[in-house]
Amino acid sequence: MQLFLYLVIGIVALIVVITLLRSVRQVPQQRNDVVERLGKYHRTLQPGLNILVPFVDAVRTKVDLREQVVSFPPQPVITSDNLVVSIDTVLYFKVVDPVKATYEIANFLQAIEQLTVTTLRNVIGSMDLERALTSREEVNRHLSVVLDETTGRWGVKVTRVEIKAIEPPPSIRDSMEKQMRAERDRRAAILTAEGVKQSQILTAEGEKQAAVLRADGDRQARILQAAGQAKAIETVVGAIHAADMDSTVMAYQYLQALPMIAQGASNKLWIIPAELSKALEGISSAFGNLQPPAPPSERKPRPVATPDNSDAIEAARAAAAAVAEIEAETKAETAGVIPLKPAAPEPPQQ
């Protein structure tokens, strides 16, 4: 009898322990448990330690309140230009009301998947392939609005919808690759032609500037050379008139120049001026009647003719004016100012 009594006490103690364990429920963070009492919704257990009535209260579902992500399998969708494309979608959602998610719909995840596929077919069906490939943001926004409005009464909040991939048929992909390759070849040809054009323009501009600079340098060199020659002529003419040379000296200069004339290998014919014969006659008569030169004090002064060097002076002045004009233009080009041409010098009065 004692053994039987101990067995009964043990069974009762085990039942009490099991009952206590079933009446105490620990709920982790970010999870809610929906409790039913005798088959009817009673309350929602919050995170922490909760007490239930044994054999009366029962946990119907355990709802995770964290944000979840689910990837739906590729879905075939027909575009407005009758092309079948395969679209992969990724959905982000979280449960905001465990009671509605439990009692308003049997399987909210499957319902969201079917709603996403239906909305995708409606949106993509109104677009052609090119627009569907370039309008992902628009499609995502439209999907988010539709899913948010529909899933709100289920206690589910759709936070984000993303299109992971849009795969057109293989033949369309090949055509698109050929089109892109042709477009890139066209752009490359245009860029090459633009480069050649720009290169030719720059080369022509450089040749133009070089020709202008060469012409300007040649002009300045000619002007300076003419100025130098005018100055030399003016100096020589002045020296000749100042020395008051006679015909004898000029004839002597003719005789010194004759060997230089004969040096050319192609000189077959000599042209001797008529004045040279007269000068030679004067030299011969001078050397024939050669007498010792008289001292300078006894020499008779010869009248000095006034030289008429107005042409040489006029050429020198014109060359000097041209040089001054070139210098003014050079300074103006350096300073960025266009100079005014100086007035032509007045002719000297005779």
Side-chain angles (χ1 to χ4, degrees):
M1 293 296 293
Q2 292 181 354
L3 181 61
F4 179 75
L5 181 61
Y6 290 152
L7 181 60
V8 172
I9 293 173
I11 293 174
V12 172
L14 180 61
I15 294 173
V16 171
V17 171
I18 294 174
T19 303
L20 292 175
L21 291 177
R22 288 178 61 88
S23 63
V24 177
R25 180 60 59 95
Q26 183 180 0
V27 180
Q29 185 67 28
Q30 289 296 322
R31 198 187 82 180
N32 285 351
D33 292 351
V34 178
V35 178
E36 293 180 350
R37 174 169 292 181
L38 300 177
K40 183 179 179 181
Y41 170 74
H42 177 60
R43 65 191 178 106
T44 302
L45 300 183
Q46 302 297 324
L49 189 63
N50 298 271
I51 304 298
L52 300 178
V53 177
F55 307 106
V56 177
D57 294 340
V59 176
R60 168 70 182 273
T61 55
K62 299 176 181 179
V63 182
D64 193 348
L65 300 181
R66 294 174 297 178
E67 187 172 3
Q68 303 179 41
V69 57
V70 58
S71 178
F72 298 138
Q75 299 293 330
V77 180
I78 300 177
T79 61
S80 61
D81 48 357
N82 297 325
L83 293 176
V84 180
V85 295
S86 179
I87 300 180
D88 296 347
T89 55
V90 179
L91 182 67
Y92 297 83
F93 71 94
K94 64 179 180 179
V95 178
V96 295
D97 192 341
V99 178
K100 290 184 178 180
T102 303
Y103 294 103
E104 294 294 335
I105 190 169
N107 189 342
F108 64 86
L109 186 59
Q110 183 180 3
I112 291 175
E113 179 182 0
Q114 296 300 322
L115 182 61
T116 302
V117 172
T118 306
T119 308
L120 268 178
R121 289 177 177 174
N122 292 334
V123 175
I124 300 298
S126 61
M127 299 180 180
D128 55 5
L129 178 60
E130 185 175 358
R131 185 183 174 189
L133 293 175
T134 58
S135 303
R136 293 193 177 188
E137 292 295 332
E138 181 181 354
V139 176
N140 293 338
R141 185 169 57 253
H142 191 78
L143 281 174
S144 298
V145 172
V146 173
L147 291 175
D148 192 28
E149 291 178 356
T150 306
T151 59
R153 63 177 182 270
W154 299 338
V156 179
K157 173 68 175 179
V158 177
T159 59
R160 189 177 182 86
V161 180
E162 292 289 342
I163 295 179
K164 185 167 60 175
I166 299 178
E167 296 293 337
S171 59
I172 301 300
R173 287 201 300 268
D174 295 340
S175 301
M176 293 172 63
E177 291 178 359
K178 292 179 181 179
Q179 181 180 1
M180 291 300 299
R181 191 179 301 111
E183 181 68 19
R184 290 174 181 174
D185 293 341
R186 183 182 68 85
R187 293 179 181 177
I190 291 175
L191 292 177
T192 303
E194 289 290 339
V196 173
K197 174 185 175 181
Q198 191 68 21
S199 175
Q200 292 179 353
I201 291 174
L202 293 177
T203 302
E205 289 290 339
E207 292 178 355
K208 174 185 175 181
Q209 294 180 5
V212 171
L213 292 177
R214 283 195 296 267
D216 191 13
D218 190 14
R219 180 172 65 89
Q220 293 183 11
R222 289 177 180 272
I223 291 174
L224 293 176
Q225 185 179 3
Q229 291 179 355
K231 187 67 177 178
I233 293 172
E234 181 181 1
T235 304
V236 171
V237 171
I240 291 174
H241 286 288
D244 191 18
M245 296 182 180
D246 55 3
S247 61
T248 304
V249 177
M250 298 300 296
Y252 181 70
Q253 292 292 331
Y254 280 138
L255 290 177
Q256 286 185 342
L258 285 177
M260 298 178 63
I261 298 174
Q263 286 180 0
S266 61
N267 293 335
K268 304 298 182 180
L269 179 64
W270 293 2
I271 300 176
I272 300 176
E275 291 82 359
L276 181 59
S277 59
K278 295 181 180 180
L280 292 177
E281 291 177 0
I283 291 174
S284 60
S285 61
F287 280 101
N289 300 326
L290 186 62
Q291 294 180 0
S297 59
E298 296 179 1
R299 294 179 183 175
K300 295 181 180 180
R302 291 180 298 178
V304 179
T306 304
D308 188 8
N309 54 356
S310 60
D311 295 338
I313 294 173
E314 180 66 22
R317 289 180 177 177
V323 172
E325 181 180 355
I326 293 173
E327 292 179 353
E329 291 179 357
T330 305
K331 292 180 180 180
E333 291 177 358
T334 305
V337 180
I338 301 176
L340 297 176
K341 293 186 178 180
E346 296 180 357
Q349 297 180 0
Q350 298 293 335

